[in-house]
Structure formats: structure tokens, C-alpha cells
Amino acid sequence: EKKFQEAKAKFDKDMAAFLAAGGEKQKGVAALRAEKRKAKDGKKPKAAKDPNAPKRPVGGAYGVFLSENREKIQKQLPAGSGITGVTKEAGKQWKALSEAAKKPYEQKFAQNTEAYKKAMEEYRKTHGAGVEDDGEEDEEAESSPKKRSRKAGA
């Protein structure tokens, strides 16, 4: 602590003398590089989401299965098992289901998706056509730039 205070006092004194002699403070190479990277216009600022907008159904058919069977699965597990225990057990049960048993959950998810699309159309009519979805699909399409491959020996 004492050494730090002495070093800081010496630095401040030297910096004051440097600036008095006509020197200029400049950022280091790493700071300049970070500023340049942040200044790139590759990222668009996120638009604020409207809390009144319809919610997109998530989780697929498994999400529907989990929401309907969560209580039953929690009762089967020992007391004190957390969220991860419930989801692990639900995952095992989902994998064990046959395609025929999964069909109703897939249909419910399809119904939820259709209901979301209709609600989103209504929402766009009342709030203007410029309103977009959650933007999840658009973000997946805009992936980060590809890495350049290195040539052998470089």
C-alpha cells in the first residue's frame, strides 16, 4: 500500500512535469484498438421491445410437453431437487416418448405458432407496419463474418 502511494505520487509528479513541458496524453495501442473495434458499425443498437407485443411461442413441442408435465415431474423427484433436475427428467421422458405420443405436443406448438402469427398481424395493424418480430430469425441469418483460413506455412 505504501509503495503504491509512493509510485502514484511519483507518477503524478512526472506526468505534471511532462504536460507542463508541452507533452500530450495519448491512449495506448490496446485502448486505440478497442475504440476502433467498438466504432465499427457492424453492430446495430437493439430496438426497445414493446412489453405489449405478443409473445413468441418457444421451446417447440418439448416446451409444450414440459409446461404440461412440470408439476407431475416435480412430484416424482425427491424434495429439494432444483430446476435442472426437473428439466433433466423431462428430457429423459421426452426422449422415451414415441413419435405418436409426441404428435399432440407438436400440434399444440403449431397451433400456438399460428395464434402468435395472427396476434402479430393484429398488433402490426394497430401499432404500424414498421414493428418487427422479436428479431430472432433475422439475427440467425446475420451471422458473424467468416474467419479467414490460414495458408500452410504462414
Side-chain angles (χ1 to χ4, degrees):
E1 180 93 19
K2 187 178 178 185
K3 284 184 179 181
F4 169 76
Q5 294 298 334
E6 290 172 3
K8 181 157 176 41
K10 183 179 183 308
F11 171 79
D12 289 340
K13 182 181 171 189
D14 291 346
M15 182 58 80
F18 173 72
L19 293 174
E24 290 184 17
K25 279 187 181 180
Q26 292 183 343
K27 293 185 178 181
V29 175
L32 291 172
R33 190 179 314 130
E35 269 186 16
K36 185 177 178 183
R37 186 180 67 240
K38 288 178 183 176
K40 282 187 180 178
D41 54 334
K43 280 195 173 181
K44 298 176 188 174
K46 282 193 172 182
K49 290 186 180 180
D50 185 1
N52 300 326
K55 304 292 185 236
R56 178 189 302 266
V58 294
Y62 170 74
V64 175
F65 169 79
L66 182 61
S67 64
E68 289 183 5
N69 296 307
R70 185 183 305 272
E71 298 289 327
K72 185 172 68 171
I73 293 170
Q74 281 178 334
K75 290 176 184 173
Q76 292 174 354
L77 295 174
S81 58
I83 296 171
T84 56
V86 173
T87 54
K88 283 180 183 178
E89 182 60 30
K92 287 178 187 174
Q93 290 182 15
W94 177 254
K95 286 179 182 176
L97 286 179
S98 66
E99 288 299 317
K102 290 181 182 180
K103 201 73 162 168
Y105 299 111
E106 291 168 357
Q107 290 172 348
K108 283 184 184 179
F109 178 70
Q111 289 172 352
N112 292 346
T113 304
E114 287 301 317
Y116 166 75
K117 287 179 181 177
K118 288 178 184 173
M120 199 64 195
E121 286 176 16
E122 290 296 319
Y123 179 77
R124 283 192 182 117
K125 287 177 185 173
T126 58
H127 290 79
V131 178
E132 290 191 22
D133 285 354
D134 295 344
E136 293 174 8
E137 294 169 356
D138 297 336
E139 289 175 10
E140 290 172 6
E142 297 175 14
S143 61
S144 61
K146 304 268 188 218
K147 289 187 177 182
R148 295 182 190 154
S149 59
R150 288 184 151 174
K151 293 181 181 177

